[in-house]
Structure formats: structure tokens, C-alpha cells
Amino acid sequence: MAFTSAHRVLKRSALSAVLFSIVGSVAAQSTTGTLHGTAAGSEGATVVAQSDSGLKRTAAIDAQGRYSFGALPVGRYSISLQRDGRILEQRDDVQLRVGSGTEVSFAAHGPATTLEAVNVTAANLPKIDVSHTVSKSVITSEQLDVLPLGRSAESIALLAPGVVAGSGAFSNGSRSVLSFGGSSVTENAYYLNGFNVTNPLNYLGGVSLPYGSIDQQETFTGGYGAAYGRSTGGVINQVGKRGTSAWRFGTQVTWSPAGLAESPASVNYPDMSLPEGYAYENEGKPGTLYRYRRGDKSTTTTYSGYVSGPLIEDRLFIHLAAESNRREGVATANEAAAQQVRNHYRVDTPKFYGKIDWNINDSNTLEYTRFQDTDRTGGYYREFDYETLSEGDRTGTFPNVAKSSTDVDIFKYTGYLNDALTFSTVWGRARTSNLAFNPLDSGNPYISGAGNQDPALNGGTPIRNDQPDLYSKAPDAGSTTHGLRMDLQYRVGNHELTAGVDNMTYRATNEGESMTGPGHAWIYSRGNPGASPSPGFGIAPPGGNGYFVQKYIFSTTTSMSVKQRAYYLEDRWQLTPDWLLTLGLRNDRFTNFNSDGRAYVESGDQWAPRLGASWDVFGDASLKLFANLGRYYLALPNSVAIRGASASTYTREYFTYTGIDANGNPTGLTPLGPGPVSANGEYGQVPDPLAVAPTDLKSQYQDELILGFEKTLGSRWNTGGKVTYRQLQSAIDDTCDSDRFVDRLAGMGLDADSFDLPGCVIFNPGATNTFQLRHRDGSGYTPVSMSSTDWGYDGKKAKRQYVALDVFIEHPMSDGWYGRLDYTWSRSFGNTEGQVRSDIGQGDVSKTQDWDAASLMEYAGGYLANDRRHQFKAFGAYQINDEWTASATVRVMSGMPKNCLGYYGSDQSDPLNGYGSAYHYCNGKPSRPGDAGRQPWTAQLDMGVMYRPGFADNRLGLGLNVLNVLNQRRQLQSTAKYQTGPDTVSNLYGMGSYFTAPRTVRLSASYDF
């Protein structure tokens, strides 16, 4: 029977499984939710909450007729109002959402009544959660069964407003990366059952559960409380399924066949009208085929299964799940690649997830999670002829095998010490291997730019060899992670006080890259015969027809570690029945160590205040006004030590040549310069850890303000909106203009020759930092203060401002359908994208070419790479009848800004000696980010249908999903580097580098026993 009252009551229907809402949060990255409500006139009674996994908790009704439960594991509950052991009222099948408050209220009780399962209707569902202020989305496993989504954490997160796909230049193995609220793709945090599983090396993404094992996923877009930090972007928190009181078994297979997929579009060299005096590097390329992609398709097959149930009734539960995913396909190399081949690749991503829950008693629980994830990519090459566009025999060469494996163990204890006091602790560890190697150990060097070889020396046909890859990794590369957090929650009066510690340690072993073959590569180029390709290093013009070659060496393998320590205090204060204030303070400390275990960055105390407020305007959950103001810090990942605090080699040596041997090696070499040169002074020396970074370096941090409202529209619709403002207050990057130290020392009356001057140093752009410069005679160090003016930036500082307006309207599940539409207008402007640089695909975290010298930052202010001015997102589901459900998602958005990077100034110089086409000049004129235009708008429509036949008691599920129904294959990003030399335009400039994926079809079948 249905139940109604004058009080706000949480109601659910069988169809509400596809409900997707923006709600508040108790605390980000948690694995629990809260339950609260009223029972007027029931003083002295109790409320009993019993989960489907056996946990039973009891709370008393206070003098105001209220009750509450804190830190309940997510799941489905039966909630009953009891007196003297008799059930007066009961709600069945109440689902707690992670990090959210669920209200279940009771009317004044009448005669004692034992109810059967209550059929809760959506009509009485409060559409607005007034108890929290965080901006996030929560989606459940039932919703994942219905909506047509990619089977990844990132695809789920893309439903949230303000979340966009990151540049295709970055990835986390075979997984994609995301940008939240204008931040760079390394500024996000990933959590699994309360433990941080962010990529421990560089923060590029993180691991995620087998798709069928996701119970709920939170996607935070801002405003979370003091209990959590280490993110200036967003947060993805996954909670895995757990065993329940009934044994369940299930299996599923999904299949996306290549035969039902479309091919990506082929790519031609751009053919633009060039300014007078400019010429393409290769004048025969414009308008011709660059990359043939017809037939570049793949087949993806996934098998998964699970078993779940009680080992001991109401006490011990287990859930085991496994997933095997294989993608096999073909990818054709471009016509300029070192290998003229088709890669027949295979990507295997098997996963295992296991969870044990022990209800020791009703006051103590223990959880253990085991997770294993492997991401392995390999394949073989077959010849491909660009003259005939045909595939030939196997070449005997192979692409690199990339293998990343992660094992995670998580233990969580929760003690409900009394009705007001709860203690929990999570300890976890993760071990990650990160390997890349080639099955064919060729001794030949990698040949780059074979199409730019002098045709008089190769007979008009580029000469290549059997070396397929440029880099490899150490055979024992990997990371280990350990984490411990403890939280104590105390409810007193109208206050919910929480205090805790949150500590993480990351250690990396032999990460970085080294060269294949003999330890060097050859890069063939062509430029202006009378112009130096690198005048700052004294490189002579190549003469002749402008052909020259570079000997390239790059090696960065090293070990390092990071320790992160934090503690916090937060008060959730129910100031009045309609006003909630959240007051929090967090302190983070970060320490980075080099390969010798010596600290090169110590952050000191970093205080981050958090303030939130929620006002239930009319006291009936029909209109909520909310606000959040907070500061968020981000640590430097381990990878900063690579090319930063440890030895690295990055050199080029220029030659002309008179011949090319059968393996593509140049012969008859004549040096054009003094020998190997390095723009950043990387010649293999070990940096002094005291000189790598200043003693007063501030961590990257960002301030955020959110103002919003949510409003019901009648009984079937609700709407809302919010304004978000984010401002980057401090950034970390490196600068490499060591001559500025010389000038500063001269101003201090000191001789620069008496000091060991560092090549590149880490600093806060725009701030004044103090560096320790070592005396060459070994007598000690001298502190040297360097301001923005001393570095030549004339007071310029790192700037990134993000402002967004999000509005939505939704129809909660009723009358058999649900729908939601979001529109986001946003603007991301500044001179610093963040820790990486998307337009050139530079993933050197906090060591981008930005800020390396003042000339690189001229005209650097503009629209940043993750700026998407307009975003429309819509999704919904329609239950045709008890057996058939249709669903769809739509994403329409404007394109990212284009950049044009050329040589410096109107005279096309290279004042930094080797940076080349890296300055904000195009055709000799200033070119700010975005001045070159925008990428085109993109629109993606995904549709799905699910059939659960009644004859199988709805246990059988047959699904069909079509992704990118319209087969729109738009350019997402293009090459930003304009030149390869003075007066010489790159044949790749403006060419599309990443595109929307073509249409695919996915079939699925599942059965639950």
C-alpha cells in the first residue's frame, strides 16, 4: 500500500531505476550514504534500517520527532518504524545513494500494523535534495543497464555538465581522459571503494571497475567538502557491488562487430594558400593522401560473470566478478610513418573484482576488496602500399607491446560506537607495472621523416628499416601505492562533526623512457637552404636544396617517490530546519623525492577552507538555494622527477649527408654545428636537488565559487541552474632561461662563474621564489630570490579563469519515461592550461614548454584548450511496456580553440636555441590561443533498446546499442605547429589529428539466475 503524509517522504517506483540526479554529498569519494526523516507523534519509538546485506541499525526518535543514520553502506534497505518490537510503518526497497542523504519519513502512527512490501510511487518523490550543497551526479547499476554508454568510467562521467573529453594526445593505457570545469586532464582524482586509484605516475586517469560490477558512480564537478582534496578538476568515485542475503549468479556477453561498424575518414595533407615568401616543407604533399583509413575497424567482445551471496546468513557476504574484454582491429599507418604498414592490433583488458563484507555485529563491520586490472596492447604488422592502397604480407616486425597491470587491496573497518559516534578507517595498497617493449629487438635506429630524405640519394623512394618504435621502457618499470585514512564522525545537537587524516605514499621504479636500437634516432628534414635551422646554437644553413638530418637522443629513466599527508575538520551545522551550513578546514602537505631519496619539493602547510550553505526556501523541498566557496590544492605527481629532479638526456646534432644506406642511416655526414645541443641543457647530468626547486615553492591551488538553485515545476518536472567560477591562484611549471640567473647574480654583485647554474628549475610562474645556488668550490649555497620581472615576464603570472552557467530541466520517471536536458555556457581563458599542454600533446606534467622563457609567453593569453563555449547534453529512457525499454543520449558541443605556433617575431628567429616553431607567432605576426579559429561543432546521438521477456521472468536481457547513429566524423583537434624552419611551413599544420569515433553497433545478452 502507498503511504503519504504532510511530511516530505522519500518515494520510489520500480521504474525509478533510470533516475539520474544532481545531488548533494556527505563527503566525496565515500562508500556510504545517510538516512534521515521524521515521525511526528512517535516519540519513544525507534526506526530500524536493515540492508539487503544483513546490516541492521537502530535509531531513536528524538523530542522533535526526528531520526538519522550516518555512514550506512550503500545498497537497498527496509526501513521500519517500531515500538516495543512491533512494526508500525515500513518502507521496502529504499536505495541509498553514495554520499547522499535519503529522507524516509512517517506520519503520526495509528494502531500497530505490519506492512507488506510497500509499493512506493514516484508522485511523492522529493525532486530536490536540500540537505547538501555539492555539485555531482550519481548513476546506479540499473541505469547502466539501460542507457547507451561506452563501458567505462569516463563515458559515465561525460553525462555530467561541464565534463568534456580531453585531448586524444593523452590516455591512460587504452582508456581516455577527461577535463572537468576547464581544468587539465591530470587534475582529477579516481576512487574505488574509498581508496585513491588515480594513476600514480602522472595523474592521467585511473583504474575502474568491471562495468557490470559498478554499483554506483559519483561524478563530482565541484564543491566537495574538507574530507577530501588532491583535485582541482573533478572526481570519479566508484562503489562496487557487494553480496546480499540471496545467492545470485549472472553472465553477460557484449559484441561490437567490425562488420556493423563504419570506417574513420581518411586524411589528406592540408593545401592552403601561403603568404608570400613561405613554402611548404615538401611542396609535393599538399592535397595528397596522408592517411588511408578505410577498413580501419575493430571488433570488441566482452564476457563477464558474477556470483554473489551470503557465506553466513546476515553476517558474511561475498561478491566475485570477472570481465574479459578484447578489441581486435586494424590501423593503417600514415604515408610518412617510419613503417609503411597496417597494424593488426589486439587490446586485452581483463579485470577481476572481489568483495567480502563481514557484519561482525550490528555495531562493527569489516570489508575487503580485491581488484585486478590489466591493460595489454600488442599486434603485428602487414605491408601497406600507398600507391595501390592495398595490404601485403606480414613484415616480420611488430608494434611495441604495452602492458599495464594493477593489483589493489582495500580494507575498511567501520565502528558504530554509539548512536552519535562513528569511526571508520580505510587502508589500501596498489601495485602497478608499466611496461613497453618490442617482440623484435632491432638494432637499427628509428627513422623519422623518411619522406623528407633527399630524393637524389634514395632514388625517389624513402628508405626505412625494421625499427618500428622510437622509445621503450625498463623491464621493471612500475609503481606502488599505500594509503591510510581515518575518519571520526560525531553528532551532537544540530552539529555533525567529522575529523580525520588522509595519507598517501607513491613510489615509482625505473619510470621514464629510453631510445630503441643503438640509443639514437635519425630525423630527416628540409628547410630554407640559406637559413639556419637553429641559429641560437650556431647551426649553419644546410645549403644545397635544404636537406639535412638530426641525430636525436632522449633518455629519462629514473625512480622517485611522493608522500602526501593531510588532516581535516568539518562541521555540518543544521542552523535551522531550513538552513544547513558546512564549515570545513583541510591541511595538505606534499613532499617529492628524487631517485636518491632526497626531497626536492616540500610544500609545508597548505590550509584549504571550505564553506557551503543550503536554504530550503519554503521548507517543503520545492526550492533550494545553495552556495559553495572553497580552496583546493593539487600535489605534484611522481613524474615531475623525470626530466626535472633526475638525470636526463635530450639532444640533437645537425648534419648534411651525401648518402643513405639500406637501413635508412645517413652517410657522408658533415656537421652543421658544434656537436650535440640541448635547448634545456639536458646532457645526462644529475641535477642538484636543492637547486631544482625553490625553498618556498607553493603547490598548485584553485579557488572555486558556486551559486545555484533547484526548483520543482509542478509534480512532474524540476529545473535548476548554477554559476561556477574557478580561478587558478598558483601554478607550477619549469623555466629554463639560466641566463636570468647570471643577470640577477650580477645585480647582487656576485660572479656567476662562481656558481653551478641549473638548466631548468621548477617555480611558481608570476611569484617570487628563492633558489639555492651551489658554490662551485663546494663551500655551500647562496639564496637567490627571483621575481617575475627577474625572469623577464614583467609581472606576468599564471592565469586560468573558468566561468560557467549550467541550467537543466528534467522529467523524473513517471508515466513510463524519464528525460533530462543540460545546457552549459562556459569560458576558460588564460595563459596556462594546467599541468599539461593539449595543443601540442605535451604530457610532461608541470614541465611544459610554457614559461621556459619569456619569449614563449608573449601573446600566450587566450582561450585555453579545454574551452568548449557551448555544451548541450540530453539523455533519457522510455519504458514501452514491461518488456521493452528504449533510451538515448545526445551530446552537442562547440569545438576547441585552434592554435598557430611559429618561429619568433617578424624575422622568424629562434631566441631560445632549438625550440623552433613554439612561439605565439604565425606568419611572423602575433597569434594568441584561439586566434586561428575553432574546431567544428560536434554532435553525437547514441540510441539503445533493451528487451527483457516476461517468459524468462525478466532475468534474460537482450540489448542493442548504436553509438554515433548519425556517423558524424568531425575533426576534434588539429596540428598547431606552423613551421619546420624559417619561411618553411609544416605539411601537417592544420591537419586533423583526432576525430570523433565512427558509428558502431553493440549487441548484448545477459542472464541473471
Side-chain angles (χ1 to χ4, degrees):
M1 64 181 284
F3 171 78
T4 61
S5 87
H7 297 283
R8 288 168 290 166
V9 184
L10 180 65
K11 303 289 186 180
R12 294 190 178 272
S13 73
L15 301 183
S16 66
V18 295
L19 177 63
F20 181 94
S21 58
I22 303 300
V23 294
S25 168
V26 174
Q29 300 96 259
S30 68
T31 61
T32 62
T34 62
L35 182 67
H36 62 93
T38 61
S42 301
E43 293 81 359
T46 60
V47 175
V48 177
Q50 182 162 1
S51 75
D52 57 3
S53 60
L55 179 67
K56 181 185 291 185
R57 298 281 296 137
T58 301
I61 306 294
D62 65 18
Q64 288 75 40
R66 299 175 304 184
Y67 77 91
S68 65
F69 295 94
L72 291 177
V74 298
R76 295 189 178 275
Y77 283 76
S78 174
I79 316 298
S80 60
L81 176 66
Q82 300 185 13
R83 172 170 287 162
D84 299 327
R86 295 180 303 169
I87 297 177
L88 307 178
E89 307 278 357
Q90 182 167 312
R91 306 286 177 273
D92 285 347
D93 204 28
V94 174
Q95 185 180 42
L96 261 63
R97 292 197 173 216
V98 60
S100 302
T102 299
E103 181 183 354
V104 177
S105 293
F106 301 90
H109 68 85
T113 304
T114 300
L115 301 180
E116 299 298 328
V118 177
N119 180 21
V120 188
T121 62
N124 294 312
L125 176 69
K127 303 175 183 67
I128 296 174
D129 184 345
V130 298
S131 62
H132 305 290
T133 62
V134 175
S135 297
K136 71 167 187 176
S137 66
V138 177
I139 189 166
T140 67
S141 58
E142 292 87 356
Q143 299 157 15
L144 298 180
D145 286 340
V146 176
L147 294 174
L149 299 170
R151 297 173 60 87
S152 69
E154 291 77 16
S155 295
I156 300 169
L158 282 172
L159 292 176
V163 182
V164 301
S167 168
F170 307 120
S171 64
N172 179 32
S174 62
R175 308 175 186 95
S176 60
V177 291
L178 302 173
S179 168
F180 287 69
S183 299
S184 69
V185 296
T186 60
E187 299 177 41
N188 309 317
Y190 283 61
Y191 283 77
L192 191 161
N193 283 356
F195 182 66
N196 192 317
V197 290
T198 311
N199 186 309
L201 179 64
N202 52 25
Y203 297 169
L204 279 169
V207 299
S208 58
L209 290 166
Y211 198 70
S213 295
I214 302 171
D215 187 7
Q216 299 185 27
Q217 176 172 315
E218 289 179 296
T219 301
F220 288 86
T221 55
Y224 46 87
Y228 297 93
R230 304 184 185 125
S231 167
T232 50
V235 175
I236 292 177
N237 176 41
Q238 289 190 337
V239 178
K241 292 181 178 179
R242 63 177 64 207
T244 64
S245 57
W247 280 102
R248 300 181 185 277
F249 311 85
T251 185
Q252 183 186 56
V253 59
T254 68
W255 183 47
S256 298
L260 297 179
E262 298 292 334
S263 298
S266 296
V267 183
N268 287 349
Y269 283 100
D271 187 4
M272 303 177 296
S273 297
L274 302 182
E276 186 178 354
Y278 287 80
Y280 275 114
E281 180 181 21
N282 189 325
E283 296 177 347
K285 296 295 185 184
T288 64
L289 182 63
Y290 172 75
R291 186 178 182 187
Y292 182 74
R293 305 186 73 186
R294 187 172 180 82
D296 284 8
K297 304 178 183 182
S298 65
T299 295
T300 301
T301 307
T302 303
Y303 300 96
S304 61
Y306 74 93
V307 56
S308 178
L311 298 177
I312 301 177
E313 186 176 0
D314 292 336
R315 285 290 177 236
L316 191 63
F317 302 84
I318 190 170
H319 182 95
L320 301 175
E323 177 183 281
S324 174
N325 180 278
R326 172 170 291 180
R327 179 162 56 93
E328 296 179 289
V330 175
T332 307
N334 63 69
E335 68 88 26
Q339 299 268 314
Q340 292 291 280
V341 294
R342 263 191 162 171
N343 180 8
H344 289 253
Y345 63 85
R346 187 175 75 186
V347 181
D348 289 302
T349 54
K351 297 182 179 183
F352 168 81
Y353 168 74
K355 193 170 192 296
I356 298 175
D357 291 271
W358 181 19
N359 299 331
I360 302 171
N361 52 46
D362 287 341
S363 298
N364 297 275
T365 65
L366 185 64
E367 306 171 32
Y368 169 63
T369 300
R370 173 68 174 178
F371 173 72
Q372 294 176 306
D373 176 41
T374 299
D375 194 326
R376 187 182 189 277
T377 302
Y380 62 89
Y381 286 145
R382 299 182 73 97
E383 296 173 347
F384 187 80
D385 188 344
Y386 262 91
E387 293 292 329
T388 61
L389 300 180
S390 60
E391 183 177 319
D393 297 331
R394 290 183 61 158
T395 64
T397 60
F398 305 87
N400 267 5
V401 173
K403 182 179 180 181
S404 176
S405 299
T406 301
D407 297 337
V408 181
D409 296 283
I410 307 168
F411 294 87
K412 181 179 181 181
Y413 164 77
T414 303
Y416 304 100
L417 305 182
N418 55 45
D419 289 345
L421 189 62
T422 302
F423 171 76
S424 66
T425 182
V426 176
W427 180 87
R429 67 179 180 184
R431 296 178 294 270
T432 301
S433 63
N434 185 22
L435 309 179
F437 58 92
N438 200 281
L440 175 67
D441 188 15
S442 172
N444 286 314
Y446 184 84
I447 303 298
S448 176
N452 294 321
Q453 293 171 348
D454 187 343
L457 303 176
N458 63 13
T461 301
I463 301 176
R464 299 173 170 90
N465 60 38
D466 60 353
Q467 181 57 262
D469 279 286
L470 183 57
Y471 302 117
S472 65
K473 296 180 70 70
D476 58 347
S479 299
T480 59
T481 302
H482 298 273
L484 172 68
R485 71 169 296 136
M486 296 182 290
D487 301 275
L488 187 65
Q489 185 183 82
Y490 180 53
R491 296 173 181 268
V492 53
N494 293 330
H495 297 268
E496 180 183 284
L497 301 172
T498 308
V501 297
D502 179 13
N503 297 334
M504 297 292 296
T505 299
Y506 303 91
R507 292 186 174 88
T509 302
N510 289 332
E511 286 286 9
E513 294 177 312
S514 58
M515 304 288 294
T516 56
H520 66 263
W522 294 108
I523 304 174
Y524 287 92
S525 303
R526 180 173 181 252
N528 187 331
S532 167
S534 184
F537 281 120
I539 306 301
N545 291 320
Y547 292 100
F548 64 97
V549 68
Q550 302 169 56
K551 185 179 182 180
Y552 171 68
I553 298 177
F554 184 78
S555 179
T556 62
T557 302
T558 189
S559 300
M560 53 262 162
S561 62
V562 178
K563 288 185 178 181
Q564 303 177 5
R565 302 290 182 263
Y567 56 89
Y568 75 94
L569 176 65
E570 184 172 84
D571 179 14
R572 285 171 45 83
W573 179 15
Q574 194 70 50
L575 187 62
T576 72
D578 301 325
W579 274 95
L580 171 70
L581 295 180
T582 303
L583 308 171
L585 186 64
R586 179 183 177 91
N587 181 269
D588 281 286
R589 297 178 65 96
F590 308 131
T591 305
N592 291 66
F593 301 88
N594 68 3
S595 56
D596 294 330
R598 298 178 62 184
Y600 64 93
V601 169
E602 294 186 79
S603 69
D605 292 321
Q606 299 170 119
W607 296 99
R610 312 279 172 83
L611 173 65
S614 173
W615 179 25
D616 183 3
V617 178
F618 301 119
D620 61 357
S622 65
L623 174 61
K624 177 179 76 170
L625 303 182
F626 65 94
N628 261 297
L629 179 63
R631 174 165 291 180
Y632 302 87
Y633 283 90
L634 185 68
L636 286 173
N638 258 325
S639 64
V640 173
I642 301 173
R643 298 187 65 195
S646 302
S648 61
T649 302
Y650 181 27
T651 64
R652 295 172 185 262
E653 192 171 3
Y654 295 78
F655 303 90
T656 57
Y657 54 97
T658 60
I660 305 172
D661 71 15
N663 289 316
N665 295 287
T667 60
L669 299 175
T670 300
L672 293 175
V677 295
S678 176
N680 295 328
E682 296 174 73
Y683 294 99
Q685 73 277 20
V686 179
D688 180 0
L690 295 181
V692 168
T695 56
D696 51 3
L697 184 74
K698 294 181 179 179
S699 293
Q700 176 172 319
Y701 72 94
Q702 178 173 268
D703 289 336
E704 178 186 73
L705 172 65
I706 299 175
L707 301 172
F709 80 96
E710 293 182 28
K711 177 72 174 70
T712 60
L713 299 175
S715 62
R716 300 183 184 276
W717 294 84
N718 61 322
T719 187
K722 64 185 174 83
V723 174
T724 301
Y725 177 75
R726 288 177 161 189
Q727 180 163 309
L728 187 68
Q729 302 288 15
S730 176
I732 295 178
D733 214 307
D734 67 339
T735 186
C736 303
D737 194 353
S738 58
D739 286 344
R740 298 290 180 173
F741 276 124
V742 176
D743 297 338
R744 180 71 176 112
L745 289 169
M748 298 169 61
L750 299 174
D751 183 7
D753 291 337
S754 301
F755 297 88
D756 287 328
L757 301 183
C760 297
V761 294
I762 299 169
F763 80 133
N764 297 124
T768 297
N769 293 131
T770 301
F771 297 85
Q772 299 291 327
L773 299 188
R774 183 171 56 192
H775 302 165
R776 285 188 173 175
D777 61 7
S779 60
Y781 294 81
T782 293
V784 177
S785 178
M786 296 289 291
S787 68
S788 175
T789 301
D790 292 328
W791 288 116
Y793 300 119
D794 297 327
K796 188 180 300 180
K797 62 175 291 186
K799 180 180 179 181
R800 185 181 73 194
Q801 292 181 335
Y802 174 81
V803 60
L805 170 65
D806 298 305
V807 294
F808 76 90
I809 186 169
E810 70 173 346
H811 180 277
M813 178 60 83
S814 63
D815 301 324
W817 72 280
Y818 167 79
R820 180 179 175 112
L821 171 65
D822 288 270
Y823 167 70
T824 301
W825 177 93
S826 62
R827 178 181 182 270
S828 185
F829 186 89
N831 56 23
T832 299
E833 176 186 344
Q835 292 185 324
V836 297
R837 185 158 171 186
S838 296
D839 63 337
I840 58 173
Q842 187 176 16
D844 296 319
V845 179
S846 289
K847 303 186 306 295
T848 69
Q849 70 180 33
D850 288 344
W851 304 101
D852 280 6
S855 55
L856 289 169
M857 298 307 295
E858 291 183 22
Y859 305 105
Y863 297 114
L864 299 174
N866 294 307
D867 178 73
R868 304 290 189 277
R869 192 57 44 83
H870 303 282
Q871 301 175 44
F872 295 88
K873 298 183 179 182
F875 51 91
Y878 176 65
Q879 187 148 5
I880 302 169
N881 54 41
D882 291 341
E883 296 183 332
W884 290 90
T885 302
S887 59
T889 65
V890 179
R891 296 199 309 273
V892 180
M893 64 183 62
S894 54
M896 70 183 296
K898 292 181 180 179
N899 278 7
C900 183
L901 302 173
Y903 276 64
Y904 181 80
S906 59
D907 61 349
Q908 303 177 63
S909 62
D910 183 10
L912 300 182
N913 305 334
Y915 278 70
S917 190
Y919 306 90
H920 291 281
Y921 285 85
C922 191
N923 295 327
K925 300 176 182 178
S927 180
R928 297 172 176 82
D931 282 356
R934 290 261 178 178
Q935 303 294 345
W937 281 65
T938 58
Q940 178 158 332
L941 168 64
D942 302 331
M943 301 183 70
V945 62
M946 174 66 71
Y947 173 53
R948 292 191 176 276
F951 67 79
D953 196 24
N954 299 121
R955 295 179 180 274
L956 173 65
L958 302 175
L960 169 66
N961 291 156
V962 182
L963 308 182
N964 192 4
V965 173
L966 304 178
N967 195 34
Q968 187 186 84
R969 299 171 294 179
R970 292 279 176 85
Q971 176 177 302
L972 297 174
Q973 189 173 341
S974 56
T975 304
K977 291 194 173 185
Y978 183 66
Q979 295 175 267
T980 58
D983 302 319
T984 306
V985 177
S986 169
N987 287 106
L988 303 181
Y989 171 70
M991 178 190 294
S993 49
Y994 302 100
F995 301 81
T996 53
R999 180 169 56 233
T1000 56
V1001 176
R1002 184 174 65 213
L1003 307 171
S1004 66
S1006 63
Y1007 196 88
D1008 295 284
F1009 299 89

